[in-house]
Amino acid sequence: MSKNKTILSIIMAVLVLLSLSMLIYTRLNSDVKPTEVTTFAMGSYISQTVYGEDGETAAKNGAVAVNRLEELISWKIADSDVYNINLNAGKDWVQVSPATENILNQALSVCKASKGAFDITVLPLSRLWDFDNSPTAPPSEADIDRCSEFVDYTALRYDANTSSYSFKSSAYAVDLGSVGKGAACDAIIAEYKALNVDAAIVAVGGSVGTLGTKKSGKWNIAVRDPDGGDAIGVIQMGEGYCSTSGSYEKNFEYEGKLYHHILDPKTGYPKQTDVVSVTIVCDTGAVSDALSTACFNLGWEESQAVLEQFGAEAIFIYDDGTIKLTEGIRNDFRLTESGKLKCRIEE
């Protein structure tokens, strides 16, 4: 080999090593502007912030994944898995996709653990109340009693051998809306993991999913002030998911009484409680979403065993400004300045 070729080979090798070093440095200490994308699906805005060389592709794939998921689990979309389960209630078994099967079984596990405080067969009641269309008066007591008879998650039968579900009666129906936002976060994060993504955060309605950590450390997740305005607190979180359910959404007042959208499957009415919001942190988006509703209905004491079963942490906010934290989240939660003026953390 000539001297010039030897020198050229050395230079090329050095350049390759430098390139690799720069790539590693960039991936670990990236100041490159992330890909930021906002789309709309499942009745919510979906905000993605993705760091990494495949950020743009990952965000696009994430948006597609949510649309695909909605077409599987929305009871409103003709020929979705859930639509077909409801359509064939009292008649036939319906085989579903692996994604739907996974979400249904995750949701059913929370139904069982909460003893029906969270129930995915609440659709007869939720259709009756029709919060999405801004009701101005509650349904009649007779209608609520009639629909409540057909809210029972144990009525949904499952055949693991064929990935199929069925109801004995046509009066039952599934609604996965209470886990859909968290499940969407799961689906998006899965797309990120399939590509060269260093870190990312996605928000779908009241659910958030994170992958990796930022250069500056943990992610800062705002906890909404139930009265509106600024965030009441901030959770410092590594990889994981969090979801919030609160009585501040889809409210209406009738004859001096305020009705919120979180239904108590036991009574058929919006849950009467001094809790105004519950935020759950755990390692699965769909489960965090389901638990936020379950714990809102259960209350602090009854929630503890359920939270322990799923390895989840919780933040309960009460109407008097009291905040209760499970032990595992105490060091990762702080009040904002505005939160300090109106809230206190119970010791």
Side-chain angles (χ1 to χ4, degrees):
M1 181 181 292
S2 69
K3 183 177 180 182
N4 288 340
K5 286 185 177 181
T6 301
I7 294 172
L8 180 60
S9 297
I10 294 171
I11 291 173
M12 290 300 295
V14 171
L15 287 174
V16 168
L17 289 173
L18 284 173
S19 296
L20 288 172
S21 298
M22 287 301 295
L23 177 60
I24 294 169
Y25 180 83
T26 300
R27 287 174 62 82
L28 295 179
N29 302 278
S30 178
D31 290 320
V32 177
K33 186 177 180 181
T35 299
E36 296 180 321
V37 175
T38 299
T39 53
F40 189 84
M42 291 187 170
S44 298
Y45 285 102
I46 300 167
S47 300
Q48 302 181 66
T49 302
V50 189
Y51 298 82
E53 62 186 65
D54 287 342
E56 186 174 347
T57 300
K60 288 179 180 178
N61 290 355
V64 170
V66 175
N67 289 326
R68 186 168 57 240
L69 181 66
E70 185 174 20
E71 290 172 358
L72 290 174
I73 69 171
S74 173
W75 65 268
K76 299 178 181 179
I77 296 178
D79 208 35
S80 76
D81 286 342
V82 171
Y83 179 93
N84 287 331
I85 290 172
N86 295 343
L87 181 66
N88 288 279
K91 295 182 288 186
D92 297 319
W93 287 79
V94 174
Q95 187 175 46
V96 303
S97 68
T100 303
E101 181 181 18
N102 183 48
I103 295 167
L104 276 168
N105 290 347
Q106 285 177 322
L108 285 168
S109 69
V110 178
C111 292
K112 183 178 180 180
S114 68
K115 298 178 180 178
F118 170 77
D119 196 317
I120 60 171
T121 66
V122 76
L123 186 57
L125 277 173
S126 57
R127 275 192 298 214
L128 180 66
W129 282 88
D130 199 20
F131 282 102
D132 286 338
N133 288 316
S134 304
T136 56
S140 70
E141 184 176 351
D143 284 342
I144 291 172
D145 289 343
R146 172 178 54 81
C147 289
S148 294
E149 291 181 24
F150 301 102
V151 177
D152 180 5
Y153 70 92
T154 64
L156 181 61
R157 299 175 296 180
Y158 171 53
D159 183 345
N161 292 324
T162 61
S163 301
S164 300
Y165 297 82
S166 73
F167 286 114
K168 287 184 179 180
S169 167
S170 61
Y172 291 97
V174 171
D175 181 0
L176 289 177
S178 52
V179 299
K181 311 298 191 298
C185 290
D186 286 325
I188 293 171
I189 294 292
E191 294 296 331
Y192 297 162
K193 289 180 177 179
L195 294 169
N196 290 315
V197 170
D198 299 325
I201 182 168
V202 56
V204 185
S207 294
V208 174
T210 59
L211 176 67
T213 55
K214 299 186 302 179
K215 179 183 175 182
S216 56
K218 292 184 176 182
W219 302 97
N220 291 319
I221 311 298
V223 176
R224 177 174 173 175
D225 184 341
D227 294 329
D230 297 332
I232 208 165
V234 174
I235 305 168
Q236 287 193 314
M237 196 171 90
E239 283 194 7
Y241 301 85
C242 70
S243 295
T244 300
S245 290
S247 58
Y248 43 76
E249 292 183 357
K250 300 177 183 176
N251 291 333
F252 70 89
E253 189 173 340
Y254 180 75
E255 294 184 348
K257 186 174 182 179
L258 194 64
Y259 293 84
H260 63 79
H261 77 294
I262 302 178
L263 296 174
D264 182 351
K266 308 290 188 183
T267 67
Y269 287 85
K271 178 68 177 181
Q272 297 299 301
T273 175
D274 57 351
V275 176
V276 290
S277 78
V278 176
T279 297
I280 300 294
V281 176
C282 70
D283 59 6
T284 309
V287 171
S288 72
D289 211 354
L291 285 175
S292 66
T293 300
C295 293
F296 185 95
N297 282 331
L298 285 171
W300 174 262
E301 295 296 336
E302 290 187 60
S303 293
Q304 298 310 303
V306 180
L307 291 168
E308 184 176 353
Q309 179 176 331
F310 290 95
E313 304 297 337
I315 301 168
F316 280 67
I317 302 178
Y318 292 80
D319 56 13
D320 66 354
T322 300
I323 295 178
K324 291 185 178 181
L325 307 172
T326 52
E327 195 61 36
I329 205 170
R330 282 189 172 273
N331 294 331
D332 295 320
F333 177 80
R334 61 176 176 80
L335 289 171
T336 60
E337 291 304 313
S338 60
K340 292 175 183 177
L341 296 176
K342 59 191 307 184
C343 297
R344 65 175 184 86
I345 298 175
E346 185 174 276
E347 298 299 329

